[in-house]
Amino acid sequence: MTTIATPYYLIDKQKLLRNMEKIAYVRQASGAKALLALKCFATWSVFDLMRDYMDGTTSSSLNEVRLGREKFGGETHAYSVAYADHEIDEVVSHANKIIFNSIGQLERFADRATDIACGLRLNPQVSSSSFDLADPARPFSRLGEWDVAKVETVMDRVTGFMIHNNCENADFDLFDRMLGQIEERFGTLLSRVDWVSLGGGIHFTGDDYPIDAFCARLKAFAERYGVQVYLEPGEASITKSTTLEVTVLDTLFNGKNLAIVDSSIEAHMLDLLIYRETAKIEPNKGEHTYMVCGKSCLAGDIFGEFRFPAELKVGDRISVQDAAGYTMVKKNWFNGVKMPSIAVRELDGTVKVVREFGFDDYAASLS
């Protein structure tokens, strides 16, 4: 492990398998199908494991739907907030189902998708998000249709719905209540379609989640409306499976002990910066406290404050936990900071580097 140059993301297939087995259990017990949300995780080097436990992928763009078709297989659901005229035909060529965000998009493009199932996104105007930035039910949201009367006018053009209003939701009771609100609002529509996707953001693979109650609720919903239920797990698929391995480059004291590492939240874990969250470092115990900082020029490029059993020194390795979701899909070349390699620990324990990035990749991303 110490021979691999940092920074690098390390995906552990054994930990990934634990999530996959829970997803397989939900599929079997509830009858729901599970699609990997590529917007969260699209590292196709481990699709060989994931495809055995999931039904396919769901996407947010032309590039993602093509990746899902070519690298994952199975069912391929296409969704986008808005499709452009020049890309719709290629999107359709890669998809089994296409979900339109608005009635306007449906009316514009449905005739170019007659060979696959068409769906529409509904917005129940309630969500579990605690961040306005990520709340699909925020005021004036552009994400989906909410007016039942308007949706009634296009029911002859859709075979299903997508409803995504769970965001980092580990509370089954909250999921249950919100699904009840969806039923109250859209029940007359749900019984007239063949399938309903309940989106992602449901942390049903987490520790102590009441998975049997979740399965029973999904099954009852499916039977009540006569629909095939889909789930779109992103974080739930890959939670706790991956670390970001970094090395201490410098230490200093400026009122607090600081440790600068060869990585950056701005470039490699962007959601920490966007949502003002702290990274996870375990066990986070000991007598020595350090603020772990990224190496970019951004003043707020800080992973957080953590406790260590010994003083940090140049060359020490640190493992940032739970570093799969919304990291590799968002990594960027800010400051030209070295892009982390991607490594995989196989089920037999061997570790291999599956992708490295260099100057040519940096230059090719520019003009």
Side-chain angles (χ1 to χ4, degrees):
M1 292 291 295
T2 56
T3 61
I4 303 176
T6 59
Y8 63 94
Y9 301 102
L10 176 61
I11 306 170
D12 190 323
K13 279 191 173 181
Q14 192 62 55
K15 295 178 180 178
L16 183 61
L17 181 59
R18 296 173 196 167
N19 297 324
M20 294 297 101
E21 289 173 340
K22 289 184 179 181
I23 289 173
Y25 180 85
V26 168
R27 290 169 66 205
Q28 187 278 326
S30 71
K33 293 186 176 183
L35 307 173
L36 174 63
L38 295 174
K39 65 180 179 180
C40 173
F41 182 81
T43 305
W44 49 268
S45 294
V46 292
F47 285 179
D48 60 333
L49 172 66
M50 302 177 80
R51 68 166 61 97
D52 290 337
Y53 296 87
M54 304 185 75
D55 296 283
T57 58
T58 184
S59 59
S60 300
S61 66
L62 169 56
N63 283 337
E64 284 188 354
V65 72
R66 179 176 175 179
L67 185 77
R69 170 65 73 191
E70 294 184 359
K71 299 295 188 180
F72 199 103
E75 291 195 43
T76 309
H77 289 204
Y79 166 77
S80 176
V81 172
Y83 292 109
D85 185 78
H86 64 82
E87 65 183 0
I88 188 66
D89 293 333
E90 188 176 353
V91 169
V92 170
S93 74
H94 296 299
N96 302 112
K97 291 182 174 67
I98 185 167
I99 300 159
F100 295 104
N101 183 67
S102 69
I103 291 173
Q105 285 264 300
L106 172 69
E107 292 179 331
R108 182 178 178 185
F109 294 125
D111 289 343
R112 293 165 70 172
T114 54
D115 292 333
I116 62 174
C118 290
L120 182 66
R121 180 169 182 170
L122 300 181
N123 189 332
Q125 297 185 297
V126 60
S127 86
S128 64
S129 178
S130 57
F131 295 100
D132 181 66
L133 179 66
D135 186 358
R138 62 189 289 176
F140 316 113
S141 174
R142 73 198 192 286
L143 301 175
E145 298 282 357
W146 58 268
D147 189 321
V148 173
K150 289 183 178 179
V151 177
E152 286 273 6
T153 66
V154 295
M155 286 301 293
D156 61 328
R157 310 197 75 174
V158 300
T159 63
F161 296 120
M162 189 268 275
I163 305 166
H164 174 52
N165 67 328
N166 287 280
C167 304
E168 298 187 341
N169 186 6
D171 184 342
F172 169 72
D173 290 334
L174 176 58
F175 166 80
D176 182 35
R177 289 196 304 273
M178 292 198 304
L179 186 56
Q181 291 172 297
I182 288 170
E183 292 177 292
E184 290 177 10
R185 181 160 201 158
F186 299 121
T188 58
L189 302 176
L190 300 176
S191 59
R192 296 167 60 185
V193 294
D194 300 326
W195 53 273
V196 175
S197 172
L198 297 178
I202 310 166
H203 282 199
F204 62 88
T205 58
D207 297 337
D208 302 321
Y209 192 87
I211 199 165
D212 288 319
F214 179 61
C215 291
R217 184 67 172 95
L218 295 176
K219 188 173 183 179
F221 177 88
E223 291 175 348
R224 179 177 181 181
Y225 298 102
V227 295
Q228 173 63 60
V229 171
Y230 286 90
L231 302 173
E232 301 179 4
E235 287 276 9
S237 299
I238 45 77
T239 185
K240 297 183 179 180
S241 69
T242 301
T243 57
L244 175 61
E245 302 293 319
V246 302
T247 297
V248 176
L249 300 178
D250 193 16
T251 61
L252 59 153
F253 181 80
N254 194 7
K256 290 183 177 181
N257 289 313
L258 310 180
I260 300 172
V261 299
D262 58 354
S263 182
S264 162
I265 64 169
E266 166 81 4
H268 306 153
M269 296 190 76
L270 187 57
D271 269 12
L272 295 180
L273 182 64
I274 292 173
Y275 295 108
R276 300 293 192 268
E277 294 184 327
T278 297
K280 301 173 186 176
I281 294 178
E282 296 176 353
N284 195 17
K285 293 180 180 178
E287 299 179 358
H288 303 275
T289 301
Y290 284 83
M291 179 182 290
V292 177
C293 308
K295 67 172 294 182
S296 82
C297 67
L298 181 71
D301 192 353
I302 298 169
F303 287 84
E305 291 189 44
F306 308 97
R307 303 183 68 85
F308 297 89
E311 292 184 3
L312 293 180
K313 59 184 183 299
V314 173
D316 283 347
R317 295 281 185 104
I318 298 174
S319 295
V320 181
Q321 303 296 308
D322 213 4
Y326 297 100
T327 55
M328 286 169 271
V329 295
K330 289 189 174 186
K331 64 187 186 299
N332 61 73
W333 286 105
F334 179 65
N335 270 192
V337 174
K338 181 185 177 185
M339 188 79 73
S341 302
I342 299 174
V344 175
R345 179 181 284 120
E346 299 290 345
L347 295 176
D348 65 4
T350 60
V351 177
K352 63 179 181 181
V353 176
V354 297
R355 184 71 162 91
E356 294 180 283
F357 303 89
F359 173 77
D360 289 343
D361 299 295
Y362 169 61
S365 70
L366 301 167
S367 59

